[in-house]
Amino acid sequence: MARGETELYFVFMNYDPEYERLQSKRKKKGSYELDLYISKKHDELLANTFEPGSYKKRLSLVIVDGFAVEITDDQADVLRSAKEVRVVEKNQELA
């Protein structure tokens, strides 16, 4: 793979008390508020870290406070050093 090519990575976030609060509230009132919070939080992290158009967020994973994003290896290294991020893993294709 060329250095500038993008691949799919999964990014999992560090503990977030607001996420935990909304997660427990979600069981009572539905998921809209949590879904909105998580998606916005992930979008802001990417927008504050990378140039527009240099990545493609695929989806937010509400159940684990994570997201899938198409980025380069170098961008993955940058995300690994972000204080909000716990783990960045490249998607592994199963044969």
Side-chain angles (χ1 to χ4, degrees):
M1 180 181 90
R3 195 70 182 147
E5 287 184 37
T6 62
E7 291 192 74
L8 187 64
Y9 284 82
F10 290 95
V11 180
F12 300 97
M13 307 298 284
N14 279 323
Y15 176 77
D16 174 358
E18 180 65 6
Y19 166 78
E20 295 298 327
R21 185 187 72 77
L22 291 170
Q23 181 77 341
S24 65
K25 186 176 164 186
R26 173 183 189 222
K27 294 174 178 94
K28 300 174 197 139
K29 294 187 176 180
S31 63
Y32 178 74
E33 190 178 2
L34 177 62
D35 292 349
L36 194 62
Y37 172 78
I38 287 294
S39 186
K40 184 175 186 234
K41 176 175 131 175
H42 299 160
D43 290 346
E44 287 175 356
L45 172 67
L46 290 166
N48 291 332
T49 306
F50 303 124
E51 292 294 318
S54 70
Y55 62 90
K56 181 179 179 187
K57 185 177 123 191
R58 288 280 201 76
L59 60 106
S60 285
L61 305 164
V62 175
I63 197 153
V64 292
D65 191 5
F67 59 94
V69 62
E70 292 178 28
I71 53 177
T72 65
D73 289 341
D74 288 342
Q75 287 174 309
D77 289 339
V78 170
L79 274 181
R80 285 184 182 101
S81 66
K83 68 179 179 4
E84 306 93 337
V85 173
R86 181 170 45 94
V87 177
V88 177
E89 288 291 331
K90 189 182 291 189
N91 183 42
Q92 300 296 316
E93 296 289 332
L94 298 177

